[in-house]
Amino acid sequence: MGQRTRIFTLDGAARHLCIDMQRLFAEATPWQVPWLSRVLPCVQEIATRHAASTIFTRFVPPRSAGEAIGAWRDYYEAWPDLTREKLAPELLELVAPLKGLVPPARQLDKTANSAFSHPGFADALHRRGVTTLVVTGGETDICVLATVMAAVDYGFRVVLPTDALCSTSDATHDALLKLYRERFSHQIEATTTEEVLRRWSG
């Protein structure tokens, strides 16, 4: 489980999985991620260069707290204005520079933190021979974290361009990057957008 140095490669078996770059998190809402706009150019560059290999997730809340299950119901009772019966529907859309890439990029809606909460997602990737996921978006310490750890458990290699990740908390963002580098270096490669683009030429 220790640290090791390696050189990653990217090819046709890689996909860019961009997590929740939506207006809901970009604009002035209670869930705004203030530095989403700062990482957007890096996310856009990867997505534009590899649009056909990009999958954008969207976090879609329930219509009401009563439609949620278990602890999610408690969660939305604390955030009633962020259920679909209160939210402006356009806030669920991808931010404009990314929305225009669909298609050829694809969009995957989810109702929980991890992209792998979408039924059959891991199996669909495996059937297509995908072995590596370049993960971008937000938040580093919530939906990206849940997606990355699920990806590791499903056997995918994960490449994280750290300048294409964002969070509302600098402290937990930095702590997770340290964790990935020190405890998951066999499965997770923390790098930069520039390096991803240099090694993913297809």
Side-chain angles (χ1 to χ4, degrees):
M1 290 286 185
Q3 206 168 5
R4 95 178 156 150
T5 302
R6 62 192 173 94
I7 302 297
F8 68 89
T9 57
L10 295 168
D11 55 24
R15 294 292 184 275
H16 172 211
L17 183 56
C18 178
I19 307 298
D20 303 353
M21 293 289 282
Q22 296 164 254
R23 292 179 58 186
L24 176 60
F25 304 110
E27 299 180 16
T29 74
W31 284 351
Q32 184 180 25
V33 181
W35 42 287
L36 184 150
S37 59
R38 194 169 81 207
V39 306
L40 179 57
C42 291
V43 173
Q44 185 179 359
E45 185 67 19
I46 296 172
T48 300
R49 293 265 292 269
H50 298 280
S53 296
T54 291
I55 303 163
F56 294 111
T57 70
R58 295 194 315 166
F59 183 81
V60 180
R63 186 163 303 281
S64 66
E67 288 187 3
I69 60 171
W72 280 109
R73 179 173 295 184
D74 297 337
Y75 182 80
Y76 285 108
E77 285 173 352
W79 297 99
D81 290 339
L82 292 164
T83 56
R84 294 202 324 274
E85 65 184 1
K86 300 286 184 66
L87 272 178
E90 59 269 20
L91 289 175
L92 299 179
E93 298 297 332
L94 299 171
V95 294
L98 305 181
K99 183 179 179 182
L101 297 174
V102 181
R106 286 164 288 172
Q107 186 171 282
L108 179 80
D109 289 349
K110 60 188 180 69
T111 58
N113 293 325
S114 171
F116 292 94
S117 64
H118 186 92
F121 181 51
D123 288 341
L125 293 175
H126 283 142
R127 284 196 304 272
R128 288 164 174 77
V130 176
T131 60
T132 302
L133 297 174
V134 177
V135 180
T136 65
E139 291 187 65
T140 312
D141 43 354
I142 303 178
C143 292
V144 169
L145 170 63
T147 297
V148 166
M149 297 314 298
V152 168
D153 282 349
Y154 278 111
F156 296 100
R157 187 164 59 96
V158 176
V159 175
L160 293 174
T162 61
D163 51 354
L165 300 173
C166 58
S167 173
T168 54
S169 170
D170 290 359
T172 48
H173 169 88
D174 292 344
L176 278 169
L177 297 186
K178 185 174 188 289
L179 174 72
Y180 295 145
R181 290 182 174 116
E182 294 186 0
R183 299 292 289 167
F184 291 95
S185 60
H186 286 265
Q187 297 113 333
I188 300 170
E189 180 78 16
T191 185
T192 64
T193 294
E194 180 181 10
E195 191 68 6
V196 165
L197 293 173
R198 188 172 75 83
R199 293 187 180 276
W200 197 5
S201 57

PDB file of all heavy atoms in Angstrom, residues 140-170:
ATOM      1  N   THR A 140     -13.740  17.455  -4.726  1.00  0.00           N
ATOM      2  CA  THR A 140     -12.651  16.525  -4.436  1.00  0.00           C
ATOM      3  C   THR A 140     -12.977  15.608  -3.274  1.00  0.00           C
ATOM      4  O   THR A 140     -12.664  14.411  -3.302  1.00  0.00           O
ATOM      5  CB  THR A 140     -11.364  17.312  -4.092  1.00  0.00           C
ATOM      6  OG1 THR A 140     -11.158  18.323  -5.070  1.00  0.00           O
ATOM      7  CG2 THR A 140     -10.164  16.393  -4.014  1.00  0.00           C
ATOM      8  N   ASP A 141     -13.607  16.160  -2.238  1.00  0.00           N
ATOM      9  CA  ASP A 141     -13.813  15.450  -0.980  1.00  0.00           C
ATOM     10  C   ASP A 141     -15.230  14.909  -0.805  1.00  0.00           C
ATOM     11  O   ASP A 141     -15.583  14.449   0.284  1.00  0.00           O
ATOM     12  CB  ASP A 141     -13.448  16.356   0.195  1.00  0.00           C
ATOM     13  CG  ASP A 141     -13.972  17.778   0.031  1.00  0.00           C
ATOM     14  OD1 ASP A 141     -14.531  18.098  -1.040  1.00  0.00           O
ATOM     15  OD2 ASP A 141     -13.831  18.585   0.961  1.00  0.00           O
ATOM     16  N   ILE A 142     -16.039  14.942  -1.858  1.00  0.00           N
ATOM     17  CA  ILE A 142     -17.393  14.372  -1.759  1.00  0.00           C
ATOM     18  C   ILE A 142     -17.637  13.461  -2.964  1.00  0.00           C
ATOM     19  O   ILE A 142     -17.345  12.271  -2.922  1.00  0.00           O
ATOM     20  CB  ILE A 142     -18.478  15.469  -1.633  1.00  0.00           C
ATOM     21  CG1 ILE A 142     -18.199  16.358  -0.409  1.00  0.00           C
ATOM     22  CG2 ILE A 142     -19.858  14.832  -1.475  1.00  0.00           C
ATOM     23  CD1 ILE A 142     -19.183  17.500  -0.228  1.00  0.00           C
ATOM     24  N   CYS A 143     -18.142  14.018  -4.055  1.00  0.00           N
ATOM     25  CA  CYS A 143     -18.512  13.165  -5.191  1.00  0.00           C
ATOM     26  C   CYS A 143     -17.302  12.602  -5.932  1.00  0.00           C
ATOM     27  O   CYS A 143     -17.340  11.465  -6.400  1.00  0.00           O
ATOM     28  CB  CYS A 143     -19.424  13.930  -6.142  1.00  0.00           C
ATOM     29  SG  CYS A 143     -21.045  14.276  -5.414  1.00  0.00           S
ATOM     30  N   VAL A 144     -16.233  13.380  -6.035  1.00  0.00           N
ATOM     31  CA  VAL A 144     -15.019  12.838  -6.645  1.00  0.00           C
ATOM     32  C   VAL A 144     -14.451  11.735  -5.758  1.00  0.00           C
ATOM     33  O   VAL A 144     -14.069  10.667  -6.247  1.00  0.00           O
ATOM     34  CB  VAL A 144     -13.976  13.952  -6.891  1.00  0.00           C
ATOM     35  CG1 VAL A 144     -12.624  13.356  -7.278  1.00  0.00           C
ATOM     36  CG2 VAL A 144     -14.465  14.895  -7.988  1.00  0.00           C
ATOM     37  N   LEU A 145     -14.401  11.967  -4.470  1.00  0.00           N
ATOM     38  CA  LEU A 145     -13.900  10.952  -3.528  1.00  0.00           C
ATOM     39  C   LEU A 145     -14.696   9.657  -3.660  1.00  0.00           C
ATOM     40  O   LEU A 145     -14.118   8.564  -3.783  1.00  0.00           O
ATOM     41  CB  LEU A 145     -13.992  11.482  -2.099  1.00  0.00           C
ATOM     42  CG  LEU A 145     -13.740  10.469  -0.980  1.00  0.00           C
ATOM     43  CD1 LEU A 145     -12.326   9.924  -1.030  1.00  0.00           C
ATOM     44  CD2 LEU A 145     -14.042  11.105   0.382  1.00  0.00           C
ATOM     45  N   ALA A 146     -16.021   9.746  -3.627  1.00  0.00           N
ATOM     46  CA  ALA A 146     -16.858   8.547  -3.710  1.00  0.00           C
ATOM     47  C   ALA A 146     -16.634   7.821  -5.033  1.00  0.00           C
ATOM     48  O   ALA A 146     -16.550   6.581  -5.079  1.00  0.00           O
ATOM     49  CB  ALA A 146     -18.331   8.930  -3.562  1.00  0.00           C
ATOM     50  N   THR A 147     -16.499   8.584  -6.115  1.00  0.00           N
ATOM     51  CA  THR A 147     -16.290   7.984  -7.429  1.00  0.00           C
ATOM     52  C   THR A 147     -14.925   7.315  -7.524  1.00  0.00           C
ATOM     53  O   THR A 147     -14.792   6.193  -8.033  1.00  0.00           O
ATOM     54  CB  THR A 147     -16.437   9.060  -8.520  1.00  0.00           C
ATOM     55  OG1 THR A 147     -17.778   9.560  -8.497  1.00  0.00           O
ATOM     56  CG2 THR A 147     -16.118   8.500  -9.896  1.00  0.00           C
ATOM     57  N   VAL A 148     -13.897   7.991  -7.038  1.00  0.00           N
ATOM     58  CA  VAL A 148     -12.534   7.450  -7.112  1.00  0.00           C
ATOM     59  C   VAL A 148     -12.412   6.156  -6.317  1.00  0.00           C
ATOM     60  O   VAL A 148     -11.854   5.163  -6.802  1.00  0.00           O
ATOM     61  CB  VAL A 148     -11.516   8.495  -6.630  1.00  0.00           C
ATOM     62  CG1 VAL A 148     -10.145   7.866  -6.368  1.00  0.00           C
ATOM     63  CG2 VAL A 148     -11.383   9.620  -7.650  1.00  0.00           C
ATOM     64  N   MET A 149     -12.945   6.124  -5.113  1.00  0.00           N
ATOM     65  CA  MET A 149     -12.814   4.923  -4.295  1.00  0.00           C
ATOM     66  C   MET A 149     -13.621   3.767  -4.879  1.00  0.00           C
ATOM     67  O   MET A 149     -13.177   2.614  -4.849  1.00  0.00           O
ATOM     68  CB  MET A 149     -13.240   5.210  -2.853  1.00  0.00           C
ATOM     69  CG  MET A 149     -12.373   6.256  -2.149  1.00  0.00           C
ATOM     70  SD  MET A 149     -10.577   6.011  -2.373  1.00  0.00           S
ATOM     71  CE  MET A 149     -10.335   4.421  -1.605  1.00  0.00           C
ATOM     72  N   ALA A 150     -14.777   4.050  -5.449  1.00  0.00           N
ATOM     73  CA  ALA A 150     -15.546   2.995  -6.124  1.00  0.00           C
ATOM     74  C   ALA A 150     -14.793   2.499  -7.350  1.00  0.00           C
ATOM     75  O   ALA A 150     -14.749   1.287  -7.619  1.00  0.00           O
ATOM     76  CB  ALA A 150     -16.926   3.511  -6.510  1.00  0.00           C
ATOM     77  N   ALA A 151     -14.187   3.407  -8.108  1.00  0.00           N
ATOM     78  CA  ALA A 151     -13.429   3.014  -9.295  1.00  0.00           C
ATOM     79  C   ALA A 151     -12.291   2.080  -8.932  1.00  0.00           C
ATOM     80  O   ALA A 151     -12.037   1.077  -9.613  1.00  0.00           O
ATOM     81  CB  ALA A 151     -12.890   4.259 -10.006  1.00  0.00           C
ATOM     82  N   VAL A 152     -11.594   2.386  -7.844  1.00  0.00           N
ATOM     83  CA  VAL A 152     -10.509   1.514  -7.380  1.00  0.00           C
ATOM     84  C   VAL A 152     -11.056   0.129  -7.045  1.00  0.00           C
ATOM     85  O   VAL A 152     -10.480  -0.897  -7.432  1.00  0.00           O
ATOM     86  CB  VAL A 152      -9.805   2.149  -6.161  1.00  0.00           C
ATOM     87  CG1 VAL A 152      -8.890   1.139  -5.477  1.00  0.00           C
ATOM     88  CG2 VAL A 152      -9.006   3.376  -6.596  1.00  0.00           C
ATOM     89  N   ASP A 153     -12.173   0.090  -6.349  1.00  0.00           N
ATOM     90  CA  ASP A 153     -12.749  -1.204  -5.970  1.00  0.00           C
ATOM     91  C   ASP A 153     -13.200  -2.006  -7.198  1.00  0.00           C
ATOM     92  O   ASP A 153     -13.156  -3.242  -7.185  1.00  0.00           O
ATOM     93  CB  ASP A 153     -13.930  -1.005  -5.025  1.00  0.00           C
ATOM     94  CG  ASP A 153     -13.494  -0.703  -3.600  1.00  0.00           C
ATOM     95  OD1 ASP A 153     -12.289  -0.852  -3.297  1.00  0.00           O
ATOM     96  OD2 ASP A 153     -14.351  -0.319  -2.780  1.00  0.00           O
ATOM     97  N   TYR A 154     -13.622  -1.329  -8.259  1.00  0.00           N
ATOM     98  CA  TYR A 154     -14.019  -2.013  -9.491  1.00  0.00           C
ATOM     99  C   TYR A 154     -12.829  -2.359 -10.380  1.00  0.00           C
ATOM    100  O   TYR A 154     -13.008  -2.930 -11.454  1.00  0.00           O
ATOM    101  CB  TYR A 154     -15.019  -1.170 -10.276  1.00  0.00           C
ATOM    102  CG  TYR A 154     -16.446  -1.289  -9.792  1.00  0.00           C
ATOM    103  CD1 TYR A 154     -17.084  -0.214  -9.167  1.00  0.00           C
ATOM    104  CD2 TYR A 154     -17.164  -2.467  -9.959  1.00  0.00           C
ATOM    105  CE1 TYR A 154     -18.407  -0.307  -8.726  1.00  0.00           C
ATOM    106  CE2 TYR A 154     -18.481  -2.568  -9.530  1.00  0.00           C
ATOM    107  CZ  TYR A 154     -19.091  -1.487  -8.911  1.00  0.00           C
ATOM    108  OH  TYR A 154     -20.400  -1.595  -8.478  1.00  0.00           O
ATOM    109  N   GLY A 155     -11.631  -2.012  -9.952  1.00  0.00           N
ATOM    110  CA  GLY A 155     -10.431  -2.413 -10.682  1.00  0.00           C
ATOM    111  C   GLY A 155      -9.933  -1.441 -11.726  1.00  0.00           C
ATOM    112  O   GLY A 155      -9.024  -1.771 -12.492  1.00  0.00           O
ATOM    113  N   PHE A 156     -10.482  -0.239 -11.757  1.00  0.00           N
ATOM    114  CA  PHE A 156     -10.008   0.760 -12.711  1.00  0.00           C
ATOM    115  C   PHE A 156      -8.769   1.473 -12.173  1.00  0.00           C
ATOM    116  O   PHE A 156      -8.644   1.693 -10.968  1.00  0.00           O
ATOM    117  CB  PHE A 156     -11.094   1.802 -12.999  1.00  0.00           C
ATOM    118  CG  PHE A 156     -12.319   1.244 -13.657  1.00  0.00           C
ATOM    119  CD1 PHE A 156     -13.460   0.965 -12.919  1.00  0.00           C
ATOM    120  CD2 PHE A 156     -12.318   0.962 -15.012  1.00  0.00           C
ATOM    121  CE1 PHE A 156     -14.596   0.440 -13.520  1.00  0.00           C
ATOM    122  CE2 PHE A 156     -13.447   0.427 -15.634  1.00  0.00           C
ATOM    123  CZ  PHE A 156     -14.584   0.165 -14.876  1.00  0.00           C
ATOM    124  N   ARG A 157      -7.860   1.810 -13.067  1.00  0.00           N
ATOM    125  CA  ARG A 157      -6.765   2.697 -12.713  1.00  0.00           C
ATOM    126  C   ARG A 157      -7.290   4.118 -12.827  1.00  0.00           C
ATOM    127  O   ARG A 157      -8.004   4.453 -13.774  1.00  0.00           O
ATOM    128  CB  ARG A 157      -5.580   2.490 -13.659  1.00  0.00           C
ATOM    129  CG  ARG A 157      -4.325   3.240 -13.271  1.00  0.00           C
ATOM    130  CD  ARG A 157      -3.133   2.665 -14.017  1.00  0.00           C
ATOM    131  NE  ARG A 157      -3.328   2.746 -15.453  1.00  0.00           N
ATOM    132  CZ  ARG A 157      -2.859   3.729 -16.210  1.00  0.00           C
ATOM    133  NH1 ARG A 157      -2.167   4.699 -15.681  1.00  0.00           N
ATOM    134  NH2 ARG A 157      -3.064   3.729 -17.515  1.00  0.00           N
ATOM    135  N   VAL A 158      -6.941   4.973 -11.878  1.00  0.00           N
ATOM    136  CA  VAL A 158      -7.478   6.332 -11.820  1.00  0.00           C
ATOM    137  C   VAL A 158      -6.342   7.331 -11.996  1.00  0.00           C
ATOM    138  O   VAL A 158      -5.310   7.232 -11.330  1.00  0.00           O
ATOM    139  CB  VAL A 158      -8.206   6.591 -10.483  1.00  0.00           C
ATOM    140  CG1 VAL A 158      -8.678   8.041 -10.406  1.00  0.00           C
ATOM    141  CG2 VAL A 158      -9.385   5.636 -10.317  1.00  0.00           C
ATOM    142  N   VAL A 159      -6.538   8.266 -12.903  1.00  0.00           N
ATOM    143  CA  VAL A 159      -5.596   9.360 -13.105  1.00  0.00           C
ATOM    144  C   VAL A 159      -6.305  10.653 -12.712  1.00  0.00           C
ATOM    145  O   VAL A 159      -7.400  10.949 -13.212  1.00  0.00           O
ATOM    146  CB  VAL A 159      -5.123   9.425 -14.566  1.00  0.00           C
ATOM    147  CG1 VAL A 159      -4.230  10.651 -14.793  1.00  0.00           C
ATOM    148  CG2 VAL A 159      -4.383   8.145 -14.943  1.00  0.00           C
ATOM    149  N   LEU A 160      -5.700  11.404 -11.794  1.00  0.00           N
ATOM    150  CA  LEU A 160      -6.309  12.626 -11.279  1.00  0.00           C
ATOM    151  C   LEU A 160      -5.468  13.841 -11.654  1.00  0.00           C
ATOM    152  O   LEU A 160      -4.416  14.086 -11.043  1.00  0.00           O
ATOM    153  CB  LEU A 160      -6.422  12.570  -9.753  1.00  0.00           C
ATOM    154  CG  LEU A 160      -7.386  11.556  -9.152  1.00  0.00           C
ATOM    155  CD1 LEU A 160      -7.244  11.552  -7.638  1.00  0.00           C
ATOM    156  CD2 LEU A 160      -8.820  11.892  -9.545  1.00  0.00           C
ATOM    157  N   PRO A 161      -5.884  14.631 -12.643  1.00  0.00           N
ATOM    158  CA  PRO A 161      -5.219  15.912 -12.876  1.00  0.00           C
ATOM    159  C   PRO A 161      -5.662  16.897 -11.783  1.00  0.00           C
ATOM    160  O   PRO A 161      -6.796  17.378 -11.792  1.00  0.00           O
ATOM    161  CB  PRO A 161      -5.722  16.330 -14.266  1.00  0.00           C
ATOM    162  CG  PRO A 161      -6.966  15.559 -14.491  1.00  0.00           C
ATOM    163  CD  PRO A 161      -6.935  14.345 -13.623  1.00  0.00           C
ATOM    164  N   THR A 162      -4.798  17.142 -10.839  1.00  0.00           N
ATOM    165  CA  THR A 162      -5.212  17.847  -9.628  1.00  0.00           C
ATOM    166  C   THR A 162      -5.620  19.290  -9.880  1.00  0.00           C
ATOM    167  O   THR A 162      -6.377  19.864  -9.094  1.00  0.00           O
ATOM    168  CB  THR A 162      -4.096  17.794  -8.571  1.00  0.00           C
ATOM    169  OG1 THR A 162      -2.921  18.439  -9.085  1.00  0.00           O
ATOM    170  CG2 THR A 162      -3.767  16.349  -8.217  1.00  0.00           C
ATOM    171  N   ASP A 163      -5.138  19.876 -10.980  1.00  0.00           N
ATOM    172  CA  ASP A 163      -5.546  21.241 -11.312  1.00  0.00           C
ATOM    173  C   ASP A 163      -6.898  21.277 -12.010  1.00  0.00           C
ATOM    174  O   ASP A 163      -7.382  22.347 -12.382  1.00  0.00           O
ATOM    175  CB  ASP A 163      -4.484  21.939 -12.162  1.00  0.00           C
ATOM    176  CG  ASP A 163      -4.052  21.128 -13.378  1.00  0.00           C
ATOM    177  OD1 ASP A 163      -4.482  19.963 -13.527  1.00  0.00           O
ATOM    178  OD2 ASP A 163      -3.260  21.656 -14.185  1.00  0.00           O
ATOM    179  N   ALA A 164      -7.544  20.123 -12.158  1.00  0.00           N
ATOM    180  CA  ALA A 164      -8.880  20.033 -12.739  1.00  0.00           C
ATOM    181  C   ALA A 164      -9.887  19.505 -11.712  1.00  0.00           C
ATOM    182  O   ALA A 164     -10.945  18.996 -12.062  1.00  0.00           O
ATOM    183  CB  ALA A 164      -8.874  19.141 -13.974  1.00  0.00           C
ATOM    184  N   LEU A 165      -9.533  19.622 -10.417  1.00  0.00           N
ATOM    185  CA  LEU A 165     -10.409  19.217  -9.316  1.00  0.00           C
ATOM    186  C   LEU A 165     -10.694  20.430  -8.438  1.00  0.00           C
ATOM    187  O   LEU A 165      -9.828  21.287  -8.254  1.00  0.00           O
ATOM    188  CB  LEU A 165      -9.744  18.133  -8.461  1.00  0.00           C
ATOM    189  CG  LEU A 165      -9.378  16.819  -9.153  1.00  0.00           C
ATOM    190  CD1 LEU A 165      -8.573  15.952  -8.196  1.00  0.00           C
ATOM    191  CD2 LEU A 165     -10.631  16.086  -9.623  1.00  0.00           C
ATOM    192  N   CYS A 166     -11.890  20.477  -7.850  1.00  0.00           N
ATOM    193  CA  CYS A 166     -12.232  21.621  -6.994  1.00  0.00           C
ATOM    194  C   CYS A 166     -13.054  21.169  -5.795  1.00  0.00           C
ATOM    195  O   CYS A 166     -13.679  20.106  -5.795  1.00  0.00           O
ATOM    196  CB  CYS A 166     -12.995  22.679  -7.779  1.00  0.00           C
ATOM    197  SG  CYS A 166     -14.542  22.096  -8.536  1.00  0.00           S
ATOM    198  N   SER A 167     -13.034  22.026  -4.774  1.00  0.00           N
ATOM    199  CA  SER A 167     -13.776  21.762  -3.542  1.00  0.00           C
ATOM    200  C   SER A 167     -14.083  23.089  -2.866  1.00  0.00           C
ATOM    201  O   SER A 167     -13.452  24.108  -3.166  1.00  0.00           O
ATOM    202  CB  SER A 167     -12.949  20.880  -2.600  1.00  0.00           C
ATOM    203  OG  SER A 167     -13.586  20.752  -1.345  1.00  0.00           O
ATOM    204  N   THR A 168     -15.020  23.067  -1.947  1.00  0.00           N
ATOM    205  CA  THR A 168     -15.252  24.256  -1.128  1.00  0.00           C
ATOM    206  C   THR A 168     -14.277  24.321   0.040  1.00  0.00           C
ATOM    207  O   THR A 168     -14.216  25.327   0.736  1.00  0.00           O
ATOM    208  CB  THR A 168     -16.690  24.272  -0.570  1.00  0.00           C
ATOM    209  OG1 THR A 168     -16.939  23.051   0.126  1.00  0.00           O
ATOM    210  CG2 THR A 168     -17.707  24.440  -1.685  1.00  0.00           C
ATOM    211  N   SER A 169     -13.514  23.257   0.258  1.00  0.00           N
ATOM    212  CA  SER A 169     -12.579  23.199   1.388  1.00  0.00           C
ATOM    213  C   SER A 169     -11.166  22.937   0.887  1.00  0.00           C
ATOM    214  O   SER A 169     -10.867  21.854   0.394  1.00  0.00           O
ATOM    215  CB  SER A 169     -12.995  22.095   2.366  1.00  0.00           C
ATOM    216  OG  SER A 169     -11.981  21.871   3.323  1.00  0.00           O
ATOM    217  N   ASP A 170     -10.289  23.916   1.025  1.00  0.00           N
ATOM    218  CA  ASP A 170      -8.889  23.715   0.654  1.00  0.00           C
ATOM    219  C   ASP A 170      -8.246  22.632   1.507  1.00  0.00           C
ATOM    220  O   ASP A 170      -7.453  21.828   1.011  1.00  0.00           O
ATOM    221  CB  ASP A 170      -8.100  25.018   0.835  1.00  0.00           C
ATOM    222  CG  ASP A 170      -8.462  26.082  -0.183  1.00  0.00           C
ATOM    223  OD1 ASP A 170      -9.311  25.810  -1.059  1.00  0.00           O
ATOM    224  OD2 ASP A 170      -7.907  27.190  -0.103  1.00  0.00           O
TER     225      ASP A 170
END
